Amino acid sequence: MTTWVNVLVDCPGVDGAFTYGVPLGWAVQPGDLVQVPFGQNQVGGIVLSVVAELPEDLDPDQVRPLGEILSHRFFSLAYWQLLERVSHYYYTSLIQVLRTALPPGLLQRSQRRIKIKALPSQPLSSKPGPTAPELAQCSPQAQRLWHLLQQSPEKDYSWRYLQQHCPKSQTALQELLQKSWVESYLRPPLVNQPKWRQAVILVQERGDLTPRQQEILTYVKQKGGECWQNVLLKDCKTTLGTLKTLATKGCISLIQRQQLRLEQGIATPGDRPKPQTPDQARALDQIQALTGTATILLHGVTGSGKTEVYLQAIAPRLGQQQSVLVLVPEIGLTPQLTDRFRARFGDRILIYHSALSDGERYDTWRYLLMGEARLVIGTRSAVFLPLQNLGLIILDEEHDGGYKQDQPAPCYHARTVAQWRSQLENCPLILGSATPSLDTWHQSQAGQAIYLSLPERVHGQPLPPIEVIDMRQEFAQGNRSIFSKALQGALGQLGEKQEQGLLFIHRRGHSTFVSCRSCGYVMDCPYCSVSLTYHLEQLDQPAIAHQLPHQLRCHYCNFSQAVPPACPACGSPYLKQFGSGTQRVSAELTKHFPHLRQIRFDSDTTRKKGAHRELLHQFAQGEADVMVGTQMLTKGIDLPQVSLVGILTADGLLNLPDYRASERTFQVLTQVAGRSGRGERPGRVILQTYAPEHPVIQAVQQYQWHEFAEQELASRQPLDYPPWGQLILLRLSSLNENRVAETAKDLGEWLQNQFAQDTSLSPWQILGPAPATVGKIAQRYRWQILLKSPLRDDKTTVHLEPEFIARLRQVCPKDVRLSIDVEPQNFL
Ligand code: ADP
Ligand code: ZN
Ligand code: ZN
């Protein structure tokens, strides 16, 4: 053996890669599926890398040889390169990337089978393989194995069966394999066989049909051009004979189609492409003209018909037998969206999200590996699905934070990975949003993305006017309620006018800022321009938060100060911790407006499976007048009867301890406001705030997205915040409070030294170490260090070498966990 391979062993309870020798003459590549000896067993594995030299601590005699190569290039080259890129960019081992990408037990669940090799000139029935004298030269076991295989009608048995029925089967098999008389392969399990059902497809209409026949065609047309045969027979009260007549006339075709196991949805009526608006037509022309890789930013105001553009961009790609991947931030929150896709494309859709069982995830993989063109809608991890012949990727609500994984590693951003995938598979990527992320906007400004815009709502409805209410004035005028007078007035009218309203509350998460009720002043870090936060030690016990010392801290740089007794700006004593939950709002609403029927829509009321859909459905049916909710309201609600949106306080968002606070505020407020006035009735938005003069509030009110983006980008530039620079967050945690604090300090000093010594690293700057805002989660004490670097002149990031990262990890003792988050989104 002169080369070795590192193999990821796919076996429960086994962690890590193991080294095996490559027998002379074998060609092995990363990504090959192999069989390896492991303890007493033979198990499946994936080759991670080929190495020319054995690590010094390994004795060559101890290293066992590979058992067998099961499949070359199981993953396409492009797919394997994608995994490697993720591993490199996010400083994560390939093993961890594979764990994220692959369903667990992919190999283990597959069945290993042995079959007699069919020679091209010999059909299987004509006894291929060795002649009798040739066979006689083999060992008795090999002969026995051969005869056993011959007995199978398909000349094909599972390896397990052969092992049970043939002594010393391993060596016997090696013999037959070496002579190339048999081959071994992996077959996915036969359980959950896909179901085949008879489907009816509309082919063409004709003038010479009876009214009855025409009726049936109209039905199929309404179902989007195809439907299940038994459903049609029932709905149209017709017979198979009638259908066959229509088939003979060439109007329909009757075919077998695979029915997939899908999340059950409510029945959706058929749906046809809508005539394009001029803006949609322009966007679609440009999209259809694309052949290779490209990133498109589709910027359309809320209700401008982006989803319709997706649907019409997808149809021709599916028609060309290409696969399409649609990524959404969260499936449960967007039942309307998946319903629309299903209404248009029927059962060709696979849904993929993290709540699927391992078995369902595995199923999806299997369908995709079978190579049929598919349309998949999924959340961020779906970016790793092995779609074959990928023709288009769509990433909806591209600004959404849900695309970023905080833990476990790799802390990838699905948008970034989707962009690489589009390059490697040479297909376009559409990033859609009403409020694009500044990262993507910046890319389009730099010519790296094509900017397409849908500036108006589909039926020309105006965007609802936004009234900004100064809560400081309400306070001064003696209104201590959480509802301003304007909002009270509007809520009072809802019942009378048979209209519905949404009340939006920003969910504070775990961070709290401090602001003045009289003047709106917010306590900020003097060094980092992010708001200071209460340092909560005990996340699980928010009730005792008020007993903790009133210390404010910047969790970027660790600056800290006590809460002053009075507002530094105006001297008012009403300097208070901020926030109000849905529960409190709901109670207040009941108190003031007992006649309004309400639905609470937050993480508490939607925990149950299907609860999102159920509550949205109730609301859509008019079973309530007001929906009170958090961020969830920003997504997926497209209801014409919603005429009022009330935003209780915008300030919770503005003061998130995060350099992206302004961007997020703009996004969330614009998205919530956009839920209003989608129907014929004009909408109304009431936005309450203690900072009406804040530039973000002003920009939201005027719908000045471009101005906002320019201003915000300009303000980030001097501080090298993204997209001008890169951030890497090192998160440290430990059960031992002192250990993690010491390690954070050691690591900080180590980094300081390294950056000082090596000029190639000099752009990196260290912020912290500082305790995390949430100082302790699940018994673990948390600290963090933020690394910041401007981009290089060629706009690329200053990458840290794997060797550097390895040494960095060594600074951490075993009982302190280190996670590396590249381009972090969550700083808590
Ligand atoms: P967005 O995704 O930008 O919010 P949608 O695609 O959901 O917009 O469109 C908003 C509404 O307008 C939906 O109810 C949709 O069915 C409808 N719509 C979209 N495009 C058209 C069109 N070309 N003609 C008629 N109605 C349309
Ligand atoms: Zn004040
Ligand atoms: Zn600071």
Side-chain angles (χ1 to χ4, degrees):
M1 290 182 285
T2 54
T3 50
W4 291 266
V5 284
N6 288 318
V7 174
L8 170 67
V9 172
D10 187 41
C11 188
V14 178
D15 207 36
F18 297 85
T19 306
Y20 290 91
V22 181
L24 269 179
W26 288 26
V28 187
Q29 287 175 307
D32 286 350
L33 297 192
V34 291
Q35 180 101 2
V36 292
F38 195 77
Q40 297 302 313
N41 301 316
Q42 293 280 325
V43 298
I46 302 171
V47 176
L48 296 175
S49 57
V50 181
V51 286
E53 265 171 50
L54 265 190
E56 273 167 24
D57 55 339
L58 269 184
D59 173 2
D61 295 336
Q62 297 287 312
V63 177
R64 299 160 85 179
L66 282 180
E68 205 178 307
I69 298 172
L70 298 176
S71 166
H72 281 296
R73 280 269 159 267
F74 178 74
F75 307 98
S76 71
L77 184 61
Y79 188 84
W80 193 255
Q81 285 171 339
L82 183 77
L83 300 183
E84 287 186 326
R85 197 150 174 192
V86 170
S87 156
H88 178 75
Y89 190 80
Y90 290 106
Y91 306 111
T92 308
S93 72
L94 196 51
I95 296 182
Q96 271 166 300
V97 177
L98 275 160
R99 292 240 155 83
T100 302
L102 269 48
L106 176 72
L107 304 182
Q108 202 204 345
R109 281 163 189 269
S110 300
Q111 190 184 46
R112 185 173 174 216
R113 299 183 69 88
I114 314 295
K115 69 175 177 196
I116 291 182
K117 254 188 169 167
L119 303 175
S121 55
Q122 291 169 310
L124 257 184
S125 52
S126 74
K127 285 211 169 192
T131 57
E134 277 174 332
L135 196 60
Q137 287 177 1
C138 294
S139 68
Q141 289 87 1
Q143 294 186 33
R144 171 122 198 234
L145 193 66
W146 177 261
H147 289 305
L148 205 58
L149 274 167
Q150 285 287 357
Q151 283 163 23
S152 152
E154 268 84 46
K155 318 284 177 226
D156 180 331
Y157 270 128
S158 79
W159 176 227
R160 182 164 299 167
Y161 178 88
L162 292 173
Q163 279 177 309
Q164 280 162 359
H165 290 81
C166 185
K168 301 209 175 136
S169 47
Q170 182 65 36
T171 42
L173 176 64
Q174 286 308 328
E175 232 178 299
L176 298 184
L177 281 171
Q178 255 162 29
K179 297 203 188 293
S180 288
W181 295 339
V182 302
E183 64 186 336
S184 87
Y185 69 103
L186 280 186
R187 183 159 88 187
L190 299 176
V191 288
N192 303 325
Q193 277 284 21
K195 250 171 63 188
W196 293 89
R197 272 176 82 180
Q198 202 68 30
V200 180
I201 306 227
L202 180 68
V203 180
Q204 58 164 338
E205 297 183 75
R206 286 170 54 147
D208 61 343
L209 300 180
T210 67
R212 187 76 188 115
Q213 289 172 333
Q214 186 53 53
E215 217 174 284
I216 293 170
L217 286 197
T218 309
Y219 174 90
V220 183
K221 211 162 125 187
Q222 274 169 0
K223 292 284 173 191
E226 64 181 69
C227 58
W228 297 119
Q229 181 176 293
N230 62 338
V231 178
L232 183 149
L233 291 177
K234 196 164 129 259
D235 284 2
C236 297
K237 301 195 175 50
T238 183
T239 61
L240 193 54
T242 315
L243 291 188
K244 288 204 167 136
T245 314
L246 275 171
T248 330
K249 282 177 177 280
C251 296
I252 56 172
S253 73
L254 305 172
I255 61 157
Q256 286 265 317
R257 174 154 279 173
Q258 229 183 67
Q259 185 182 23
L260 304 172
R261 295 198 301 173
L262 289 171
E263 201 178 74
Q264 278 304 303
I266 43 172
T268 41
D271 180 33
R272 308 286 293 170
K274 299 190 167 54
Q276 299 161 6
T277 65
D279 287 328
Q280 283 174 330
R282 208 169 308 126
L284 277 161
D285 282 349
Q286 293 215 42
I287 293 168
Q288 306 303 19
L290 294 170
T291 47
T293 177
T295 302
I296 297 117
L297 169 56
L298 181 63
H299 180 192
V301 297
T302 51
S304 60
K306 286 184 297 296
T307 313
E308 186 62 32
V309 170
Y310 302 155
L311 293 168
Q312 296 199 31
I314 291 169
R317 311 263 167 183
L318 290 179
Q320 292 159 24
Q321 302 308 313
Q322 292 180 323
S323 294
V324 176
L325 175 62
V326 179
L327 296 168
V328 295
E330 227 174 310
I331 294 260
L333 296 187
T334 51
Q336 281 187 328
L337 184 87
T338 32
D339 288 349
R340 274 173 77 183
F341 275 79
R342 199 166 294 147
R344 188 70 58 87
F345 299 113
D347 285 345
R348 259 175 288 182
I349 298 175
L350 284 175
I351 309 266
Y352 193 83
H353 53 90
S354 56
L356 294 181
S357 67
D358 287 352
E360 288 168 315
R361 286 177 66 193
Y362 178 80
D363 261 14
T364 312
W365 264 72
R366 189 165 59 92
Y367 288 129
L368 295 175
L369 287 173
M370 276 161 35
E372 225 179 290
R374 289 281 179 210
L375 171 57
V376 179
I377 303 183
T379 47
R380 67 169 178 253
S381 63
V383 78
F384 292 113
L385 283 175
L387 289 133
Q388 319 264 313
N389 194 16
L390 192 56
L392 176 66
I393 308 174
I394 292 170
L395 199 139
D396 189 33
E397 308 287 0
E398 66 87 28
H399 62 274
D400 198 284
Y403 287 117
K404 179 68 164 58
Q405 173 143 316
D406 291 335
Q407 57 158 1
C411 303
Y412 66 97
H413 198 302
R415 186 179 58 216
T416 308
V417 179
Q419 206 151 13
W420 296 336
R421 197 149 187 204
S422 126
Q423 289 158 9
L424 289 165
E425 312 250 8
N426 203 29
C427 73
L429 165 69
I430 302 178
L431 304 174
S433 177
T435 50
S437 67
L438 293 185
D439 296 322
T440 303
W441 166 246
H442 186 66
Q443 272 195 20
S444 82
Q445 292 290 87
Q448 293 156 352
I450 302 165
Y451 180 76
L452 301 178
S453 108
L454 304 174
E456 280 166 27
R457 286 187 160 181
V458 171
H459 301 293
Q461 308 100 315
L463 290 165
I466 299 176
E467 300 159 49
V468 174
I469 308 293
D470 185 344
M471 291 306 275
R472 296 169 305 188
Q473 270 179 25
E474 298 274 327
F475 187 82
Q477 289 162 10
N479 180 6
R480 304 282 149 119
S481 150
I482 53 172
F483 306 118
S484 62
K485 285 196 213 73
L487 188 53
Q488 289 180 16
L491 285 167
Q493 287 177 352
L494 277 184
E496 295 162 26
K497 290 205 276 180
Q498 307 274 309
E499 293 178 358
Q500 288 180 307
L502 302 174
L503 283 185
F504 170 79
I505 301 131
H506 168 64
R507 187 186 31 188
R508 282 177 295 122
H510 311 304
S511 104
T512 41
F513 67 99
V514 167
S515 77
C516 169
R517 291 298 150 91
S518 304
C519 78
Y521 179 87
V522 173
M523 301 292 296
D524 270 341
C525 172
Y527 307 106
C528 301
S529 77
V530 298
S531 58
L532 295 172
T533 59
Y534 267 113
H535 190 65
L536 296 188
E537 296 294 343
Q538 202 83 38
L539 176 64
D540 13 16
Q541 289 177 307
I544 62 154
H546 65 277
Q547 298 167 4
L548 294 171
H550 287 194
Q551 195 71 13
L552 290 170
R553 214 182 264 282
C554 168
H555 70 112
Y556 277 23
C557 74
N558 204 18
F559 167 83
S560 82
Q561 71 171 80
V563 180
C567 169
C570 78
S572 157
Y574 294 101
L575 192 66
K576 288 253 168 70
Q577 182 178 336
F578 210 85
S580 60
T582 34
Q583 227 170 342
R584 193 176 138 222
V585 173
S586 187
E588 289 279 309
L589 190 64
T590 313
K591 202 171 96 196
H592 288 279
F593 304 96
H595 64 286
L596 288 181
R597 296 162 305 160
Q598 44 169 308
I599 290 178
R600 232 178 87 198
F601 195 59
D602 58 25
S603 52
D604 288 335
T605 61
T606 56
R607 204 163 288 157
K608 231 178 63 212
K609 199 175 174 208
H612 284 111
R613 185 184 281 277
E614 178 57 31
L615 290 178
L616 284 175
H617 184 68
Q618 284 175 11
F619 191 60
Q621 296 299 307
E623 289 170 30
D625 306 299
V626 186
M627 197 144 173
V628 180
T630 53
Q631 243 79 331
M632 296 178 186
L633 289 181
T634 58
K635 295 171 194 166
I637 298 182
D638 179 13
L639 295 174
Q641 67 272 31
V642 172
S643 63
L644 172 68
V645 166
I647 296 164
L648 283 176
T649 47
D651 308 56
L653 276 159
L654 269 178
N655 298 305
L656 276 179
D658 180 347
Y659 76 93
R660 275 196 178 87
S662 291
E663 179 179 354
R664 291 217 175 126
T665 306
F666 189 95
Q667 286 160 350
V668 171
L669 295 183
T670 307
Q671 298 277 355
V672 187
R675 304 298 122 196
S676 164
R678 289 187 167 224
E680 279 156 22
R681 286 171 271 208
R684 182 173 179 194
V685 180
I686 296 175
L687 190 164
Q688 307 186 151
T689 173
Y690 288 87
E693 69 292 329
H694 196 292
V696 177
I697 302 291
Q698 300 273 317
V700 168
Q701 184 183 21
Q702 310 293 328
Y703 289 103
Q704 286 176 335
W705 189 84
H706 287 94
E707 291 79 355
F708 164 74
E710 288 315 313
Q711 252 175 37
E712 179 62 18
L713 282 176
S715 76
R716 284 187 201 173
Q717 194 163 19
L719 288 166
D720 296 325
Y721 282 139
W724 305 106
Q726 194 188 37
L727 296 177
I728 296 179
L729 186 65
L730 305 179
R731 290 200 183 89
L732 296 157
S733 74
S734 171
L735 293 169
N736 183 324
E737 191 173 4
N738 293 331
R739 286 288 275 177
V740 67
E742 279 163 25
T743 306
K745 225 176 93 229
D746 292 348
L747 200 57
E749 278 166 16
W750 184 85
L751 285 163
Q752 206 84 56
N753 281 334
Q754 297 294 316
F755 293 169
Q757 282 166 20
D758 184 344
T759 51
S760 75
L761 297 175
S762 61
W764 285 103
Q765 201 190 328
I766 303 166
L767 301 173
T773 315
V774 183
K776 187 177 166 193
I777 292 182
Q779 307 293 320
R780 301 187 73 86
Y781 294 88
R782 310 166 75 235
W783 277 66
Q784 53 199 30
I785 299 175
L786 189 61
L787 303 181
K788 187 165 86 169
S789 148
L791 297 185
R792 288 192 299 221
D793 291 341
D794 63 356
K795 302 279 179 273
T796 57
T797 53
V798 184
H799 196 76
L800 300 168
E801 291 309 312
E803 190 259 348
F804 177 87
I805 297 291
R807 282 193 292 137
L808 181 147
R809 287 190 188 280
Q810 274 165 11
V811 179
C812 264
K814 278 217 165 56
D815 54 352
V816 176
R817 198 181 291 159
L818 166 67
S819 93
I820 301 177
D821 190 348
V822 178
E823 286 145 15
Q825 297 256 333
N826 178 358
F827 293 90
L828 302 176

